[in-house]
Amino acid sequence: MAEPKGQTVDLASLSAPQLSSVKKRLDDELEHLTTSFQKLRAAQNKFRECLTSIKSGVSQGVAGKPLLVPLTTSLYVPGTLADTDNVIVDTKGSGADFLGAGQTTKDAAIFYNAKIEDLGWNLKDLEAIVQGKSNNLRVVEDVLRQKVISGGGNGASSSQ
């Protein structure tokens, strides 16, 4: 329920404006976490594309044939595959500030599989965090709705 470093707050003791503030903060956190999740998923898919390219695009049948070589995500130049056993892997993860490392296709596949797996674990952890924040947001919304319905927006108990 509560995070180890967090403190527990009785939501019923908060006023409607305080609950609205908590709700806004949770909305903002959830939006940021969801955006981060989408970016991690996109990165994982890029690594899968790299792995597919190595498995299907770097073979003896392609050697010497013309192909387009990506310099950036939108700039390609014509070239030919000279070596089907060795590739250059972007170890920094971005086309800008490229840091390439020559690796065998087998090592490159291992590298990309490890990246895909690491991102999978990070996505799983982040998904659990997003789920927890979503649950917290629902609870805050429910308490706020009850406060508004009962007219108890000032934090003090109304008639009982």
Side-chain angles (χ1 to χ4, degrees):
M1 300 275 291
E3 295 177 11
K5 296 178 186 175
Q7 59 189 120
T8 305
V9 175
D10 180 17
L11 294 176
S13 68
L14 298 177
S15 67
Q18 290 172 319
L19 285 169
S20 293
S21 176
V22 170
K23 180 187 177 307
K24 169 132 179 50
R25 192 177 83 233
L26 284 171
D27 280 333
D28 292 345
E29 288 177 12
L30 199 52
E31 182 180 341
H32 173 72
L33 291 170
T34 302
T35 301
S36 297
F37 185 88
Q38 292 167 346
K39 288 179 180 178
L40 284 175
R41 178 71 72 199
Q44 188 182 45
N45 287 335
K46 292 265 185 198
F47 286 128
R48 282 193 178 110
E49 289 173 14
C50 291
L51 189 58
T52 300
S53 293
I54 289 171
K55 288 181 178 179
S56 63
V58 183
S59 64
Q60 292 295 338
V62 181
K65 293 184 180 177
L67 54 89
L68 291 175
V69 179
L71 294 181
T72 67
T73 56
S74 61
L75 179 62
Y76 291 76
V77 296
T80 57
L81 185 62
D83 185 355
T84 58
D85 295 324
N86 295 293
V87 293
I88 297 175
V89 176
D90 181 359
T91 57
K92 195 162 187 179
S94 165
D97 301 332
F98 179 77
L99 177 59
Q103 294 185 357
T104 65
T105 53
K106 182 179 177 183
D107 289 341
I110 291 169
F111 173 81
Y112 285 125
N113 276 322
K115 290 289 188 181
I116 291 166
E117 187 177 333
D118 286 347
L119 285 173
W121 287 111
N122 290 339
L123 284 164
K124 185 177 178 180
D125 292 344
L126 187 54
E127 186 174 23
I129 293 169
V130 167
Q131 186 65 39
K133 293 284 183 184
S134 294
N135 291 340
N136 291 346
L137 180 60
R138 276 193 290 278
V139 169
V140 169
E141 287 171 338
D142 289 345
V143 172
L144 180 58
R145 191 175 304 112
Q146 289 302 317
K147 286 267 185 186
V148 170
I149 291 171
S150 69
N154 63 4
S157 294
S158 316
S159 62
Q160 283 190 341

